[in-house]
């Protein structure tokens, strides 16, 4: 089949679909991935076709120093307008990015409310591939609610409310896209309910190790295991990272991915002091926060994953960025983007924001996590990691602004690196994850759809 995968958002919202796409190509399908220009080298390195989507979220993030948030039932109106504007650009971009000979659409959670209209207009099947659980259930509240249960009735009610908020966000884009495609008017809620009534399969790209399948979900809502970002089979860590790892005991990783833009100087100082207090070596990943052991002369707007930059000096077939020469002393190294699958198993612990993919990568490596969730679904995944005993108690990102932030972070790092129970449970979870084949489950479902 000629398959188009659509994914929009940050690196963690896009990279897992490169693994799915590569697996489908191995099965003989022709796969194109539509996403932002930033990730074109990553897509092409995986051997997939690339189509451009507009509205790169990195161009519309908050001003330096402002807290990063995501739309949620409790979000403010300005944030909702910002999200709606992003979605509106995305709608037109999806229509332009979809080849006319496409036979199957694979949709991320962000693109699904728009992609369903394209599938209707083209009279082709589509398959939802979300990275988070978004169907209402009594087992837990919506992932954007902070991970706190509201009771079974409250959880289901909040889940339905969350879907209505999403419908509202997509209303304007839906109206314009359906008009553009020559379809009769229909609200996002109407189209969503049609899809639900049809009992179409929905494959969730995370593991039941963290989220057991809710018993009150309808048949067809399946949890199939994680989809791991593609990297070359012969990929290796850069020489400077290998040299650093060989020079001493396993370090602690600290990074915030696409979070905390503009807060690099404060967070870098905090991270270095916490590592020293814990008496451990460390690796800082620059990310959008621009963490570094050097004074912050680089713009916060510089791409955190330099191999995704059109001007990257690295080979487009090797999704590993060059290493910044930012050293403060011999026990801390600053790096750019490298595959978590190569780096995390070499760590003694990982400190991060707990995006869905990053949380899973730490668990896959079998190392303890210190969760520092910032927003959106991150508190949910942080709580899940702690619940299986593979992480310390989550430290809310806002707590890093308090006077006792440094000792708080240092104590969590000490616990993560010395408590045998944390490492044992993380290793047990990693063993279970190793038996799953999320991309293979997608390939089997696609084969059934193409039969």
């Amino acid at each position: 089949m000629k398959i188009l995968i659509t994914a929009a958002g940050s690196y963690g919202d896009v990279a897992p679909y490169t693994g799915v796409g590569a697996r489908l190509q191995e099965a003989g399908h022709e796969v194109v991935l539509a996403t932002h220009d930033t990730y074109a080298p990553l897509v092409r390195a995986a051997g997939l076709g690339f189509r451009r989507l507009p509205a790169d979220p990195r161009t519309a993030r908050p001003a330096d120093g402002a807290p990063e948030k995501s739309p949620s039932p409790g979000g403010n109106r300005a944030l909702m307008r910002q999200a709606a504007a992003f979605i509106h650009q995305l709608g037109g971009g999806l229509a332009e990015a979809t080849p006319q000979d496409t036979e199957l659409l694979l949709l991320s959670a962000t693109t699904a409310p728009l992609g369903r209209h394209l599938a209707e207009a083209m009279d082709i099947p589509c398959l939802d591939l979300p990275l988070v659980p978004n169907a209402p259930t009594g087992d837990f509240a919506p992932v954007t609610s902070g991970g706190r249960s509201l009771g079974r009735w409250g959880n289901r009610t909040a889940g339905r409310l969350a879907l209505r908020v999403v419908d509202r966000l997509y209303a304007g884009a839906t109206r314009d896209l359906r008009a553009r495609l020559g379809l009769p008017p229909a609200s996002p809620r109407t189209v969503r309910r049609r899809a639900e009534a049809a009992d179409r399969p929905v494959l969730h790209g995370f593991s039941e190790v963290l989220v057991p399948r809710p018993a009150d979900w309808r048949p067809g809502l399946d949890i199939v295991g994680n989809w791991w970002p593609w990297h070359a089979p012969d990929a290796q860590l850069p020489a400077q990272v290998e040299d650093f790892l060989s020079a001493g005991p396993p370090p602690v990783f600290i990074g915030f991915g696409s979070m905390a833009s503009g807060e690099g100087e404060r967070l870098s100082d905090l991270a270095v002091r916490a590592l020293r207090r814990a008496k451990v070596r460390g690796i800082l990943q620059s990310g959008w926060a621009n963490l570094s052991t050097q004074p912050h002369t680089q713009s916060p707007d510089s791409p955190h994953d330099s191999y995704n930059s059109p001007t990257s000096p690295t080979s487009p077939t090797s999704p590993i960025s060059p290493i910044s020469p930012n050293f403060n002393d011999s026990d801390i190294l600053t790096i750019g983007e490298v595959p978590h699958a190569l780096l995390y198993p070499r760590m003694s612990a990982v400190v991060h924001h707990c995006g869905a993919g990053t949380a899973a990568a730490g668990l896959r490596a079998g190392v303890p996590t210190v969760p520092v969730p910032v927003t959106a679904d991150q508190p949910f995944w942080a709580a899940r990691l702690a619940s299986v005993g593979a992480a310390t108690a989550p430290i809310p990102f806002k707590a890093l602004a308090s006077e006792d932030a440094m000792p708080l972070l240092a104590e969590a790092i000490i616990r993560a690196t010395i408590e045998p129970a944390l490492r044992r449970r993380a290793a047990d979870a990693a063993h279970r994850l190793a038996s799953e084949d999320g991309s293979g489950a997608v390939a089997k479902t696609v084969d059934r759809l193409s039969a």
Side-chain angles (χ1 to χ4, degrees), residues 30 56 131 147 192 251 364:
E30 183 179 328
D56 188 333
L131 296 171
R192 171 173 57 80
R364 182 191 194 191

Side-chain angles (χ1 to χ4, degrees), residues 41-106:
L42 176 63
V43 172
R44 291 177 176 134
L48 310 177
F50 170 78
R51 297 297 290 256
R52 177 184 181 274
L53 290 184
D56 188 333
R58 295 194 307 176
T59 64
R61 60 183 192 265
D64 292 350
E68 298 214 11
K69 301 179 180 178
S70 291
S72 68
N76 59 47
R77 292 182 179 179
L79 203 59
M80 296 283 277
R81 286 195 297 269
Q82 184 182 18
F86 169 80
I87 290 165
H88 194 274
Q89 293 181 58
L90 198 58
L94 278 171
E96 295 174 2
T98 304
Q100 290 300 311
D101 59 353
T102 300
E103 297 173 285
L104 173 65
L105 285 171
L106 303 185

Side-chain angles (χ1 to χ4, degrees), residues 102-103 117-125:
T102 300
E103 297 173 285
H117 309 292
L118 289 170
E120 179 184 344
M122 299 174 71
D123 193 24
I124 59 174

Side-chain angles (χ1 to χ4, degrees), residues 1 3 20 23-29 104 106 127 129 201 203 222 224 227 435-451:
M1 299 185 76
I3 300 171
V20 173
R23 183 62 172 268
L24 291 171
Q25 292 228 131
E26 290 175 6
H29 302 286
L104 173 65
L106 303 185
L127 179 63
L129 302 179
L203 306 185
D222 295 322
V224 299
W227 305 315
S435 67
E436 299 176 347
D437 184 10
S439 293
V442 176
K444 290 178 180 178
T445 299
V446 168
D447 285 343
R448 289 197 297 269
L449 292 173
S450 63

Side-chain angles (χ1 to χ4, degrees), residues 4 6 16 26 43 46 85 142 152 164 192 303 323 337 345 374 424 443:
L4 177 69
T6 62
E26 290 175 6
V43 172
R152 296 198 64 82
R164 289 164 67 180
R192 171 173 57 80
I323 301 304
E337 184 70 36
V374 183
R424 182 175 65 254

Side-chain angles (χ1 to χ4, degrees), residues 108-206:
S108 73
T110 306
T111 61
L114 299 168
R116 294 174 192 137
H117 309 292
L118 289 170
E120 179 184 344
M122 299 174 71
D123 193 24
I124 59 174
C126 63
L127 179 63
D128 286 13
L129 302 179
L131 296 171
V132 298
N134 49 26
T137 174
D139 288 6
F140 48 81
V143 297
T144 55
S145 66
R148 182 173 62 89
S149 177
L150 306 173
R152 296 198 64 82
W153 181 86
N155 290 341
R156 280 192 291 267
T157 300
R160 289 190 288 267
L161 175 61
L163 291 179
R164 289 164 67 180
V165 170
V166 172
D167 291 341
R168 180 180 175 188
L169 283 172
Y170 282 81
T174 292
R175 180 184 60 250
D176 293 349
L177 181 58
R178 290 187 70 85
R180 174 174 180 164
L181 296 173
L183 296 173
S187 70
R189 184 181 184 185
T190 298
V191 175
R192 171 173 57 80
R193 287 190 164 184
R194 285 177 190 165
E196 293 169 354
D199 286 338
R200 293 189 327 194
V202 176
L203 306 185
H204 296 82
F206 51 85

